[in-house]
Amino acid sequence: MIITCKEATRLASQGLDRKLGFLDRVALRLHLAICKGCTNAARQMEFLRRAITRLGEDADERGALRR
Amino acid sequence: MDDFRSGVERHRPYLLRYASLQLRDKDAAEDAVQETLLAALANESGFGGRSNLRTWLTGILKHKIIDHIRRSAREIALGADEETSDFDALFDSRGHWIEMPAAWSDPDASLAQQQFYAKLEECLARLPAKTARTFMMREHLGCETGEICKELGLTPTHCWVLLHRARMSLRECLQANWFGK
Ligand SMILES: [Zn+2]
């Protein structure tokens, strides 16, 4: 169940593209619970998804969407 | 009748931008948009009473973009991206971060800033062609990985590697050029 940061970021990325298996999910969650660096990286990869979604929009729409 | 035509035409700039982000080629993007507008005008009844014309047009455009990707997949495959040592620069031999990612303060505030998107596009432009194409099919067009693999002739594993590589390099690029400043 102990995985490296390299492995954890790989799983965090794959988790955005497919449903991870049970063991992978547990291993990732355990790792993220103790690793700030990977937690940051995982959040930033999710943020990238939100940012790309907005990339094609016009400036006013982005303004309107922001609460 | 003409209302529909001018309504459709009004979305051309948006559609062109949408297509350009994925195709990275002005001519190809214009072709895809042109085909989309023609298809839309020929099929006004297909729109019916649906609520949002732009969403409907974007749906048609997605198919046109994927058609284009399918047609050009062979050329891109020839110029395969260099298979650089995977993330070796980021992790040491034991798989630990060489430089641990720092937290970004209030990243969502950046989503309201025009300059942020300019940086993001610069970072995207630095990605190798196949990596960028895969990533944008996933995050911009919203394709499932299965569909991406099929269209680009990749194995799922290769697909995930490319997506992971794109995310890591974009994260680093934004760290260096935006959030770390
Ligand atoms: Zn870690």
Side-chain angles (χ1 to χ4, degrees):
Chain A
M1 283 311 202
I2 303 297
I3 55 174
T4 64
C5 292
K6 188 174 178 177
E7 182 66 7
T9 51
R10 189 181 67 81
L11 288 176
S13 175
Q14 275 192 19
L16 295 172
D17 304 315
R18 67 174 177 108
K19 190 162 170 31
L20 297 176
F22 176 72
L23 291 180
D24 283 345
R25 282 208 306 281
V26 173
L28 177 60
R29 207 172 304 153
L30 288 175
H31 184 97
L32 293 182
I34 54 159
C35 180
K36 193 75 190 126
C38 288
T39 302
N40 289 339
R43 282 198 190 129
Q44 289 159 10
M45 291 192 283
E46 286 169 25
F47 167 76
L48 276 174
R49 172 164 289 181
R50 295 202 293 283
I52 300 288
T53 310
R54 301 270 182 94
L55 189 56
E57 294 166 354
D58 323 320
D60 356 335
E61 289 176 304
R62 288 175 189 146
L65 279 169
R66 188 166 155 70
R67 316 170 246 273
Chain B
M1 202 54 186
D2 280 348
D3 277 359
F4 183 68
R5 174 176 290 272
S6 61
V8 163
E9 195 57 46
R10 200 172 314 128
H11 292 290
R12 184 189 285 270
Y14 169 82
L15 296 172
L16 198 53
R17 178 163 165 67
Y18 188 95
S20 305
L21 282 171
Q22 176 67 53
L23 293 171
R24 289 178 154 194
D25 173 340
K26 200 164 163 289
D27 294 337
E30 288 196 4
D31 287 349
V33 170
Q34 194 60 32
E35 288 168 27
T36 300
L37 298 183
L38 289 175
L41 292 174
N43 186 26
E44 181 174 351
S45 59
F47 176 57
R50 254 172 280 190
S51 52
N52 193 319
L53 181 56
R54 199 175 79 177
T55 307
W56 182 66
L57 291 170
T58 307
I60 301 175
L61 177 59
K62 255 182 217 184
H63 289 287
K64 301 293 178 195
I65 291 173
I66 291 173
D67 282 347
H68 184 274
I69 288 173
R70 187 178 301 141
R71 287 197 301 268
S72 66
R74 225 178 296 140
E75 305 151 38
I76 293 265
L78 288 177
D81 298 347
E82 70 287 7
E83 302 287 325
T84 35
S85 45
D86 258 351
F87 318 111
D88 279 354
L90 297 177
F91 302 97
D92 65 20
S93 56
R94 289 170 310 153
H96 293 154
W97 290 102
I98 289 170
E99 197 181 331
M100 200 174 261
W104 291 348
S105 66
D106 195 10
D108 286 296
S110 294
L111 294 179
Q113 294 178 48
Q114 211 52 41
Q115 308 95 296
F116 170 75
Y117 294 94
K119 274 292 171 230
L120 179 55
E121 284 194 56
E122 278 174 38
C123 290
L124 283 167
R126 290 189 206 171
L127 295 177
K130 199 169 175 182
T131 305
R133 172 159 286 191
T134 307
F135 179 73
M136 290 304 267
M137 280 181 89
R138 178 76 186 109
E139 305 290 29
H140 180 55
L141 298 185
C143 298
E144 294 299 326
T145 36
E147 184 174 18
I148 301 172
C149 294
K150 194 179 96 206
E151 299 302 345
L152 300 183
L154 303 171
T155 63
T157 308
H158 192 185
C159 208
W160 288 321
V161 169
L162 292 179
L163 291 169
H164 183 28
R165 188 181 290 161
R167 290 180 181 124
M168 294 299 263
S169 101
L170 289 172
R171 235 224 74 250
E172 258 196 294
C173 181
L174 287 177
Q175 170 68 35
N177 296 292
W178 182 263
F179 290 106
K181 292 227 154 175

